[in-house]
Amino acid sequence: MSATKEENRKGSSGWRESFWNPQTHELLGRTASSWGLILLFYFVFYLFLAGMFVLTMYMLLLTLDDYKPTWQDRLVTPGMMIRPKGDQLEIRFSVSETESWDGLVQNLNTFLSPYNDSYQVQTNDNCPPDQFFIQEDSGEVRNNPKRSCQFNRTMLEDCSGISDRFYGYSSGQPCVLIKLNRVIGMLPGKDAQSPFVSCGAKRYRVGNDEWNEDSDKIGTLLYFPPNGSFNLMYYPYYGKKAQVNYTQPLVAVKFLNVSLNTDVNVECKINSNTLSEGGERDKFAGRVSFKLRVNSQ
């Protein structure tokens, strides 16, 4: 029994000495000077790593431009989008049910509020059409903020929400607004030929090897501004910070006699002598597809 107690005392004493040895003054097997050296090493090591990180970030920030990306990996053709944008790019409403299209009208009103003529006259320039509005920097002096050209709401005519405050939704002749995504420095045309939008029936698959399109349902289309063009004077775009008052040009499409009570698959695309047609890998490159359904009841 006494031998067992002695062994327990030695084991307990050995554990305590491994943590703190009063004879050699070692803590966890190291003296104070040894702990000081290892802590100093790790302090210098991590201080060096922090310094390298700060230096790397500083050098990276020196290469960045506050007004445009240093490196710009962009699509060959920018994407397009519509307004009002319904669920999953579907616009559905009933002519006789005001509540079915009231939200669409409110969406367009909100979207077009910066395009009011009075606001455009105050903030933007009246530019000469059919030519690029290029604003170069003068040497080391930045030409910022850069000016922007007016895009007045009245240019959308029947789809401006002024002559018809319901944008045709109350009469079954809806207006759809189309915009081309912004790309810094893009010049989407040459030889004074502005890019323009064309809409038509979209081909869609109905079987393994069978395709269909709604060309007999889409009816007559009107474009505003005339020819559905994005005038060259709105390009190039210099970025949100450099061109703070930039107003993105729009094209409005009015469906005059679309077939009622049926789904109509529509595709709108950009036509330009400098922008290539988008491929199947990116369905929004230079085009946008949406489904339109106008119910009579």
Side-chain angles (χ1 to χ4, degrees), residues 231-247:
N231 201 283
L232 297 181
M233 65 181 175
Y234 300 107
Y235 303 96
Y237 171 60
Y238 288 98
K240 186 175 182 179
K241 188 172 182 179
Q243 205 169 6
V244 292
N245 292 324
Y246 180 75
T247 302

Side-chain angles (χ1 to χ4, degrees), residues 82-84 91 93 158-159 167-169 171-178 197-202 214 217-224 251-260 264-268 288-294:
I82 63 169
R83 292 292 186 275
I91 301 176
F93 67 96
D158 292 351
C159 292
Y167 302 93
Y169 285 84
S171 58
Q173 298 179 323
C175 290
V176 177
L177 305 184
I178 300 173
V197 173
S198 61
C199 297
K202 174 182 168 54
D214 300 328
K217 302 177 183 178
I218 197 169
T220 306
L221 305 179
L222 286 182
Y223 296 92
F224 308 100
V251 167
V253 183
K254 187 177 182 67
F255 295 81
L256 293 182
N257 51 356
V258 63
S259 296
L260 302 177
V264 181
N265 293 277
V266 184
E267 181 178 72
C268 298
V288 60
S289 301
F290 59 95
K291 187 176 293 185
L292 177 64
R293 184 182 181 96
V294 182

